[in-house]
Amino acid sequence: MNLALLFDEDFVAPDRVVLRGRRLAHIRSVLGANTGDRLPVGRVNGLMGLGEVLSLTDSEAELSVTLDQPPPPPLPLTLILAMPRPKMFRRILQTSATLGIKDIWLINSYKVEKSFWQTPWLSDDNLRENLTLGLEQAKDTKMPGVHIRKLFKPFVEDELPALLHGKEALVAHPGTSAPCPTHLNRPTALCIGPEGGFTPYEVGKLEEAGCQSVHLGPRILRVETAVPVLVSRLFDACL
Ligand code: SAM
């Protein structure tokens, strides 16, 4: 946690917050903070700054906060992801938030197992918790939006063309002939397949909607690896 993300319910006055639970444990055990220390904080979807520890007990920390810095710029990326296996999903969500992705679409695909959609990690609370962990890692405050589409064909035919409007549109697909572009740095929509890959029918439908198939070389990457590799190829955000 490189920044404590603050939510409306943490504020007890316009410039005071009380933190409990995970953030308190981190402040005490990992940061070893004491009264008077200043810690990086940020208000969700708002400014970042410092919080001065006013009091610290076993059950809560009270901080006086000054918020005057904007969060880092978001990536101009819409990530369209075939719903990953639950074990990987949490990590991919956190990584996506850490990388600055703000628009995430979870879609169905032939090789997405039906049971993946039952995972508790898709509940609003769990989505928020994992995206929060990703934002706190990066020192960012802007909460990504997550959209869930459990039917592939209606999504691709009825929604995707509008979503791609004004963007570069790519589908990462191993074995295709075009290498993934580098340094694109423009609004982009990127589709990433499931563990078993998109089927030829699905790739055809994504291409019909306007996506270009691109590859990352002969090595097949896990989705959790493909996401940061693709992002760092397409955007110079870390320069
Ligand atoms: N056997 C599957 C296939 O050939 O499509 C492998 C799928 S891979 C584990 C999961 C997803 O990561 C792929 O659908 C693709 O979107 C992305 N990916 C992984 N390695 C890739 C590569 N070398 N080129 C392009 N996309 C890749």
Side-chain angles (χ1 to χ4, degrees):
M1 183 174 89
N2 294 307
L3 163 147
L5 196 61
L6 309 174
F7 293 84
D8 288 350
E9 54 270 31
D10 298 321
F11 282 80
V12 292
D15 64 346
R16 295 267 170 114
V17 293
V18 172
L19 305 182
R20 303 184 180 87
R22 176 184 60 80
R23 290 165 300 170
L24 171 67
H26 189 90
I27 289 170
R28 284 168 57 91
S29 316
V30 181
L31 302 180
N34 293 305
T35 306
D37 287 353
R38 288 164 178 236
L39 314 172
V41 294
R43 187 165 193 157
V44 68
N45 294 323
L47 295 173
M48 313 192 306
L50 289 174
E52 182 179 338
V53 180
L54 300 176
S55 64
L56 194 56
T57 69
D58 285 351
S59 57
E60 59 182 46
E62 184 166 5
L63 280 71
S64 159
V65 299
T66 307
L67 302 172
D68 51 10
Q69 300 293 317
L75 279 188
L77 177 65
T78 293
L79 178 65
I80 301 164
L81 197 63
M83 180 62 196
R85 183 175 293 283
K87 201 174 75 181
M88 276 192 187
F89 175 54
R90 276 183 70 212
R91 289 201 296 268
I92 294 170
L93 210 54
Q94 290 180 23
T95 301
S96 300
T98 298
L99 290 169
I101 300 170
K102 302 300 176 191
D103 192 25
I104 302 171
W105 293 71
L106 299 169
I107 66 167
N108 199 28
S109 157
Y110 185 71
K111 291 180 185 164
V112 169
E113 289 177 30
K114 281 200 174 59
S115 62
F116 292 0
W117 292 109
Q118 307 306 321
T119 176
W121 297 120
L122 277 172
S123 74
D124 286 349
D125 283 352
N126 282 329
L127 287 174
R128 185 176 95 154
E129 180 69 9
N130 281 294
L131 294 168
T132 296
L133 291 172
L135 293 175
E136 288 183 337
Q137 173 64 36
K139 290 183 128 180
D140 189 359
T141 63
K142 178 86 178 74
M143 188 62 76
V146 177
H147 313 267
I148 296 171
R149 295 294 182 268
K150 296 185 184 175
L151 294 175
F152 179 83
K153 198 161 170 256
F155 168 72
V156 173
E157 289 182 353
D158 305 337
E159 287 191 271
L160 188 59
L163 199 58
L164 301 186
H165 186 73
K167 300 184 181 86
E168 298 290 328
L170 306 172
V171 49
H173 190 53
T176 202
S177 59
C180 178
T182 56
H183 309 288
L184 205 51
N185 297 320
R186 288 196 293 278
T188 300
L190 171 67
C191 308
I192 300 185
E195 212 170 291
F198 283 126
T199 65
Y201 167 80
E202 289 170 337
V203 174
K205 294 297 283 180
L206 292 167
E207 287 178 345
E208 248 175 55
C211 297
Q212 186 200 355
S213 291
V214 294
H215 72 80
L216 283 172
R219 293 175 194 277
I220 306 295
L221 308 179
R222 284 180 196 272
V223 178
E224 63 189 302
T225 310
V227 171
V229 167
L230 284 156
V231 163
S232 59
R233 235 181 123 91
L234 294 171
F235 301 101
D236 297 340
C238 19
L239 294 181

